[in-house]
Amino acid sequence: MTTTPVQHAAPRARTRRARLPWQRVPIWALMLLACVLSVVPFYLMFVWASHPSAEVFTFPPHLWFGDAFARNWQGLMQVTDGQAPRQFWNSLYIALISTLTTLFFCSLAGYAFAMYDFRGKGALFAFILGTMLIPPLVMDIPSFLVMNNVLHWVGQPRALWVPGMANAFGIFLMRQYVSSALPRELIEAARMDGATEFGIYRQVVLPLIRPILATLGVVTFVGAWNNFKGALIMKLSEPDTMTLPLSLRRLGGGATNVNVDWGAIMMLVVITVIPLLIVFLFASRQVISGLTSGAVKD
């Protein structure tokens, strides 16, 4: 009578677990500590947003939720003159448009640099990489002058998302991923089947580069959502154009202001952080896949 492999599957699994070396315990402890240190600030942020303003900085700090969510929301609406939902929409609009346009144009350019041969390709790509060496602070004044004197876009949300639609980092990232993930034979086979060039990009390329699209999308969304300096320079300070980072700075009132409604501020911080958490939770698997692509050699 022969023994089936199924009968020995469980003992082998128990043996592997029993052979776990004790040397890994410090590594797991450090990882657990890092996770706790990462999660605790977010947890305390939500907890303090549920307590009155006078109790936000009490010692010892509150470690469980209170019942002041509604009160802090009313305080937030009061200090923002009812503009908090509008500010949320302004930030969401800028972040979404920035993400979608960046993904579209950078993926197109990266695909072209990776799969097409044309005159001046190397020099143009080298020029694009060279722009990454310019410190962003150096471009603040020229960007403002162009937006103010040439395009007359100062005070409008498009002054934030139009300049970054085809940025050098996104093009470089897409070009490197397409070069390593897409074989030229696949593109040639699609052409032989009668697919158009844009049809190849839409039906063949995009499905295969979803991990790097998610990675670039998360990076772009977070950068656009947290863009305080750009919104400040482009004067998005009117009630109908103000974004959440500017609103948070205005509500803080400076380090010497003691008459701050910290409950309302913590509520606004929660509103600001929630979209970032949602985006990362939904795209985390694709982001990890995009970041680790090519790390393991077949």
Side-chain angles (χ1 to χ4, degrees), residues 35 116 171 234 242 256 278:
C35 292
Y116 288 85
I171 294 174
M234 296 305 167
M242 182 177 291
T256 59
I278 293 175

Side-chain angles (χ1 to χ4, degrees), residues 55-72:
E55 301 179 10
V56 170
F57 294 111
T58 57
F59 188 84
H62 292 287
L63 298 179
W64 191 245
F65 297 93
D67 56 357
F69 270 115
R71 188 190 314 173
N72 289 335

Side-chain angles (χ1 to χ4, degrees), residues 110-121:
Y111 168 61
F113 276 114
M115 293 296 173
Y116 288 85
D117 296 320
F118 51 90
R119 181 177 299 178
K121 171 182 172 180

Side-chain angles (χ1 to χ4, degrees), residues 204-258:
V204 178
V205 177
L206 288 183
L208 295 177
I209 63 172
R210 283 183 299 178
I212 202 64
L213 286 175
T215 303
L216 182 60
V218 170
V219 171
T220 304
F221 185 92
V222 172
W225 182 269
N226 295 328
N227 190 0
F228 170 78
K229 184 186 69 173
L232 183 65
I233 293 175
M234 296 305 167
K235 298 182 179 180
L236 299 182
S237 55
E238 297 297 325
D240 58 337
T241 59
M242 182 177 291
T243 59
L244 290 178
L246 288 181
S247 182
L248 279 170
R249 178 62 182 85
R250 185 177 68 85
L251 293 185
T256 59
N257 192 344
V258 296

